[in-house]
Amino acid sequence: MTAGPGIRPPSDTAHTRATLGKATEENFPVAPFFVPAAWREGLMAVYGYARLVDDIGDGDLAPGGRDAALLGVAPDRADDRLAVLDAFEADLRRVFDGTPRHPLLRALQPVVDRHRLTPEPFLGLIEANRQDQRVTRYATYEELAAYCELSANPVGRLVLSLTGTSTPERIRRSDEICTALQIVEHLQDVAEDLGRDRIYLPAEDMERFRVTEADLARPTAGASVRSLVAFEAERARRLLDEGTPLVASVHGRLRLLLAGFVAGGRAALCAVADAGFDVLSSSPKPAKLRLVREVGAVLRTAPREG
């Protein structure tokens, strides 16, 4: 269950195809075959945008500085993440009032026009990646949730806008799901994030479970780290459960798409639990069969709004 067939990259350049190809690595299906072609086009355009801005913020752009050059960044500043993010924001604004330069943003422009999308959710994703350059630790869960409001929740809101199903209650439920999915990803990537000098585990929780940064740098997780990860996993599970009524509030193929998002989070949590909550020796990933089973479970049990 990955990006559907027939979706062409907006450019023939290998680095652009590689960015879109990362959709297959996500915990959930980004643009599955069963949704209408117009939705797939929109979902992949939004994914390409979100993936590219994250790659800029993480320093994971393709070698050679091609993306920076496309955005008009001088070669001597191609490794300056904040400079590239500024150029990316300028190109995003051209999506709304001109002709963007980057092929992924050119692909986004007709989607924005067709669905009358606003700049705010896209700007939120850029600001989250700016924050990643300035903030590397979070003292409390509330601080982390505020970060997720920028880094994850805009994506769910964009999905609702693309499918014409936004309501205040659905946005609230979507935010719960997206925050949960972000927490799950953080749990899977504890070791990788630490390698970037980032810790997304709240310091108050680390103190409660007597986990130090040195503990997170070990090759395998000790008992205290496993207990902390189990605690954060349960928090994410509760958020997924609170957001799951979103699935039952819609119908048809959209219901299946949203069930896939929730199921992806649940399946990833199962992978973390199956690893004994040791997220340091490897990054636990859900098996496809587990994902399919979780989709069925979500569809059977998603509570309907009263």
Side-chain angles (χ1 to χ4, degrees):
M1 298 177 69
T2 58
I7 302 299
R8 294 186 302 170
S11 166
D12 290 333
T13 57
H15 74 278
T16 298
R17 291 197 302 271
T19 299
L20 293 177
K22 293 179 182 180
T24 61
E25 302 170 11
E26 303 296 337
N27 286 326
F28 49 83
V30 172
F33 70 91
F34 56 78
V35 301
W39 286 9
R40 293 204 306 274
E41 179 186 358
L43 290 167
M44 285 305 292
V46 167
Y47 177 79
Y49 175 90
R51 183 67 268 162
L52 181 58
V53 72
D54 279 356
D55 284 350
I56 295 171
D58 290 342
D60 287 341
L61 292 176
R66 177 61 174 161
D67 289 291
L70 286 167
L71 295 170
V73 178
D76 62 342
R77 302 196 69 191
D79 293 329
D80 183 338
R81 298 180 194 179
L82 287 173
V84 180
L85 286 170
D86 287 346
F88 191 72
E89 179 178 336
D91 211 34
L92 169 67
R93 295 190 184 279
R94 284 189 284 270
V95 169
F96 292 88
D97 60 16
T99 304
R101 297 171 177 174
H102 198 285
L104 287 172
L105 292 181
R106 291 202 301 269
L108 183 64
Q109 187 167 30
V111 174
V112 164
D113 292 343
R114 185 180 310 121
H115 298 280
R116 299 181 180 180
L117 303 179
T118 62
E120 286 73 21
F122 298 103
L123 289 169
L125 295 173
I126 294 175
E127 190 55 36
N129 280 275
R130 285 199 181 105
Q131 183 167 317
D132 277 334
Q133 312 313 308
R134 304 188 304 264
V135 180
T136 60
R137 307 290 190 275
Y138 292 86
T140 66
Y141 171 71
E142 288 71 25
E143 288 184 6
L144 182 64
Y147 169 76
C148 293
E149 180 70 20
L150 296 171
S151 69
N153 298 0
V155 176
R157 297 183 182 199
L158 284 167
V159 171
L160 294 177
S161 295
L162 287 171
T163 56
T165 54
S166 295
T167 67
E169 179 62 13
R170 284 177 178 147
I171 290 172
R172 183 176 74 84
R173 298 292 190 184
S174 172
D175 286 353
E176 290 167 336
I177 292 170
C178 290
T179 293
L181 292 175
Q182 181 73 90
I183 292 172
V184 172
E185 184 177 333
H186 289 160
L187 294 180
Q188 292 174 296
D189 295 341
V190 168
E192 179 182 331
D193 290 334
L194 187 62
R196 294 189 169 109
D197 191 31
R198 297 178 190 165
I199 297 177
Y200 295 103
L201 300 166
E204 63 181 3
D205 297 341
M206 290 177 62
E207 182 177 355
R208 173 183 174 183
F209 287 92
R210 299 183 179 181
V211 171
T212 67
E213 294 192 16
D215 293 326
L216 299 180
R218 298 182 186 279
T220 59
S224 59
V225 172
R226 292 172 190 249
S227 295
L228 171 60
V229 172
F231 173 80
E232 304 297 349
E234 180 56 29
R235 171 179 274 158
R237 187 180 301 280
R238 288 197 303 269
L239 279 171
L240 282 175
D241 290 345
E242 290 167 7
T244 298
L246 173 66
V247 176
S249 76
V250 298
H251 303 283
R253 287 174 284 188
L254 178 57
R255 190 176 184 213
L256 185 55
L257 176 67
L258 298 183
F261 295 162
V262 175
R266 290 184 177 181
L269 286 173
C270 288
V272 170
D274 289 345
F277 302 102
D278 179 5
V279 295
L280 302 184
S281 58
S282 65
S283 178
K285 299 295 184 183
K288 289 184 178 180
L289 181 57
R290 170 73 78 171
L291 175 61
V292 171
R293 288 175 177 170
E294 291 294 340
V295 168
V298 172
L299 292 172
R300 288 193 304 272
T301 62
R304 295 188 177 275
E305 298 284 1

